[in-house]
Amino acid sequence: MFCLDVKALYPSVPRQEARAAAEVALSGRVNPLIPTDDVLAMMDAVLDHNTFTFDGVHYVQTEGTAIGSHLGMNYAPTYMGSWENELLERSTKQPLAYFRFVDDVWGLWTHGLDALQEFHQLSNKIHQRIKIELRHATEKIEFLDVITINRNGHLVTDLFTKPTDKHLYLRRDS
């Protein structure tokens, strides 16, 4: 079992490649109510005018997208779809299973540790701004809020909570 995680996806998304991925995705719509060129122009306007203040100084963000922006929630995963396609096309060995949620990947690998490390190295060569961390295990691995456990060749899942989680919940009548 393995997990891949992109470090700081939103500010790292390469704009030119992400725009190309968005254009491909938008061009594939069956019944576009808003023309693709108009959507791209609106997207460019949002990205080109994203500003923030740090330590009293005003900045314009020139790469990536703002964390938590409505555009970013679609923009970053659309780029990751394109990135993922390139990774899987370039790799000579394929995962037995591969599932991605935004920038987190969970998969099964059957080609040995050396080949998995080569797959990881390849993932870090797709784009210089996208840095991938690899975690792997044969017995159990955490992915988001799930732990996958290998029990005698059968995969079972359970809820995963971090050791620091206090399990404090609000009562619905509070």
Side-chain angles (χ1 to χ4, degrees):
M1 297 176 282
F2 71 93
C3 293
L4 301 176
D5 183 27
V6 178
K7 293 288 121 202
L9 173 64
Y10 283 61
S12 301
V13 173
R15 288 231 178 131
Q16 194 172 27
E17 291 85 347
R19 189 183 196 285
E23 186 171 7
V24 168
L26 289 165
S27 297
R29 296 176 296 163
V30 176
N31 187 15
L33 296 175
I34 302 172
T36 294
D37 287 342
D38 292 349
V39 174
L40 291 171
M42 289 184 279
M43 184 181 79
D44 291 340
V46 169
L47 292 169
D48 291 342
H49 296 93
N50 183 50
T51 63
F52 62 96
T53 302
F54 178 74
D55 202 20
V57 180
H58 217 67
Y59 297 92
V60 175
Q61 185 169 354
T62 58
E63 276 298 332
T65 186
I67 295 171
S69 77
H70 291 287
L71 174 62
M73 291 185 296
N74 293 301
Y75 177 76
T78 300
Y79 168 73
M80 285 305 298
S82 173
W83 174 92
E84 169 180 276
N85 287 341
E86 188 169 345
L87 172 63
L88 295 173
E89 285 174 9
R90 288 167 113 187
S91 181
T92 57
K93 293 189 168 70
Q94 299 296 309
L96 179 63
Y98 182 100
F99 300 96
R100 179 178 55 86
F101 180 76
V102 185
D103 65 338
D104 295 301
V105 173
W106 179 93
L108 296 174
W109 191 262
T110 58
H111 308 291
L113 184 56
D114 288 343
L116 177 60
Q117 290 171 337
E118 288 175 20
F119 185 75
H120 174 236
Q121 289 171 358
L122 178 60
S123 75
N124 277 307
K125 292 178 182 174
I126 302 294
H127 196 280
Q128 65 191 19
R129 294 181 56 83
I130 303 298
K131 298 299 174 205
I132 309 296
E133 283 191 353
L134 168 68
R135 293 183 299 112
H136 57 87
T138 57
E139 298 299 318
K140 63 182 177 179
I141 196 163
E142 302 87 22
F143 177 72
L144 302 176
D145 291 337
V146 176
I147 185 164
T148 306
I149 304 162
N150 179 354
R151 285 205 184 123
N152 301 320
H154 294 85
L155 298 180
V156 295
T157 59
D158 200 355
L159 176 67
F160 171 73
T161 55
K162 294 181 179 175
T164 55
D165 190 340
K166 302 262 189 252
H167 300 285
L168 300 174
Y169 303 102
L170 290 176
R171 293 172 41 108
R172 65 181 163 158
D173 61 344
S174 69

